[in-house]
Amino acid sequence: QVHLQQWGAGLLKPSETLSLTCGVYGGSSSGYYWSWIRQPPGKGLEWIGEVNHYEGTNYKPSLKSRVTMSVDTSLNQIFLSLSSVTAADTAVYYCARQRKYPFIQPFDIWGLGTKVTVSS
Amino acid sequence: EILLTQSPGTLSLSPGERATLSCRASQSVSSTYLAWYQQKPGQAPRLLISDASSRATGIPDRFSGSGSGTDFTLTISRLEPEDFAVYYCHQYDRSPPYTFGQGTRLEIK
């Protein structure tokens, strides 16, 4: 059974860089798209971007200037970096798996989430 | 970017009743690339429905999805106590950015 484990710093100061890792266990990271999705306290879900080993990345336009995602298939890990954070970036961050071939599917497996707080 | 609007914001029902949740898209969603998720407090979202009407593995048949184009519905035929949660619709139409509705909170009356 595939599951995702997330880790990274949970408390940041404004202007710092958020760095999170999502590990894939019980399966492979190859051949899938991996998204990061966040949820501010008491609010809904916001898609941040996606990464695929072969086809690269896509980011939400409003976050594109600050986001970097990558995947290391040898480690089965997916990475998120978000620079110049502010209080508005405070949220629970999830990684999630998506299949696009042979036909596109929604996010079927999610990590448990990492709570990130930005505060001075 | 396709905007999704869910209604109602909050739905108050009793166990055993039928729940109908709506999701409206700002433009047509191709090939019914519309999903529904359930989220309970402190948990990650769980996929219920894909392609507008296909139940995910292990999802009880009291959950059903319907719709096409811009109007989609999630129906829970007979509410069980564990069904009270927040529900999100999500479009994954071809190319990103992908979007979610703002959620419907299903609460016990």
Side-chain angles (χ1 to χ4, degrees):
Chain A
Q1 185 95 11
V2 176
H3 71 276
L4 308 179
Q5 188 171 332
Q6 302 176 216
W7 62 91
L11 180 61
L12 297 171
K13 290 181 167 52
S15 80
E16 292 184 332
T17 295
L18 177 158
S19 294
L20 297 178
T21 302
C22 174
V24 181
Y25 298 92
S28 175
S29 59
S30 290
Y32 296 95
Y33 284 73
W34 301 94
S35 279
W36 289 94
I37 296 155
R38 68 182 182 179
Q39 186 170 35
K43 296 188 177 180
L45 301 163
E46 178 185 27
W47 181 81
I48 301 169
E50 66 179 5
V51 60
N52 173 271
H53 178 66
Y54 302 103
E55 301 198 23
T57 56
N58 286 296
Y59 303 134
K60 182 173 183 175
S62 60
L63 297 171
K64 189 174 183 177
S65 64
R66 298 194 292 130
V67 174
T68 303
M69 295 181 186
S70 60
V71 57
D72 186 326
T73 55
S74 65
L75 294 176
N76 264 350
Q77 292 178 354
I78 300 96
F79 307 97
L80 169 67
S81 176
L82 180 66
S83 64
S84 305
V85 297
T86 69
D89 296 311
T90 293
V92 175
Y93 286 74
Y94 296 100
C95 59
R97 187 185 81 169
Q98 182 182 25
R99 283 183 253 219
K100 294 194 181 185
Y101 302 102
F103 48 85
I104 191 168
Q105 292 287 290
F107 305 116
D108 62 345
I109 297 176
W110 294 62
L112 296 180
T114 302
K115 182 178 179 181
V116 176
T117 302
V118 180
S119 174
S120 56
Chain B
E1 179 175 310
I2 298 177
L3 300 180
L4 299 178
T5 303
Q6 292 186 239
S7 60
T10 302
L11 186 57
S12 299
L13 294 170
S14 300
E17 292 193 294
R18 180 185 187 91
T20 303
L21 287 67
S22 175
C23 176
R24 176 163 290 177
S26 61
Q27 56 186 281
S28 184
V29 177
S30 300
S31 302
T32 62
Y33 289 145
L34 193 287
W36 291 92
Y37 297 88
Q38 176 193 70
Q39 187 179 35
K40 296 181 179 180
Q43 296 184 15
R46 177 175 71 143
L47 178 64
L48 299 176
I49 301 286
S50 64
D51 299 341
S53 61
S54 298
R55 272 188 303 277
T57 303
I59 301 303
D61 61 7
R62 64 180 181 272
F63 290 91
S64 63
S66 63
S68 65
T70 60
D71 290 296
F72 299 87
T73 301
L74 174 69
T75 301
I76 310 171
S77 58
R78 293 174 311 279
L79 286 166
E80 298 287 343
E82 62 268 26
D83 298 337
F84 292 91
V86 179
Y87 292 83
Y88 293 96
C89 59
H90 159 57
Q91 67 79 19
Y92 47 104
D93 186 346
R94 290 173 297 185
S95 301
Y98 303 123
T99 51
F100 296 86
Q102 82 279 18
T104 289
R105 180 178 304 277
L106 179 55
E107 63 176 27
I108 299 177
K109 188 174 183 180

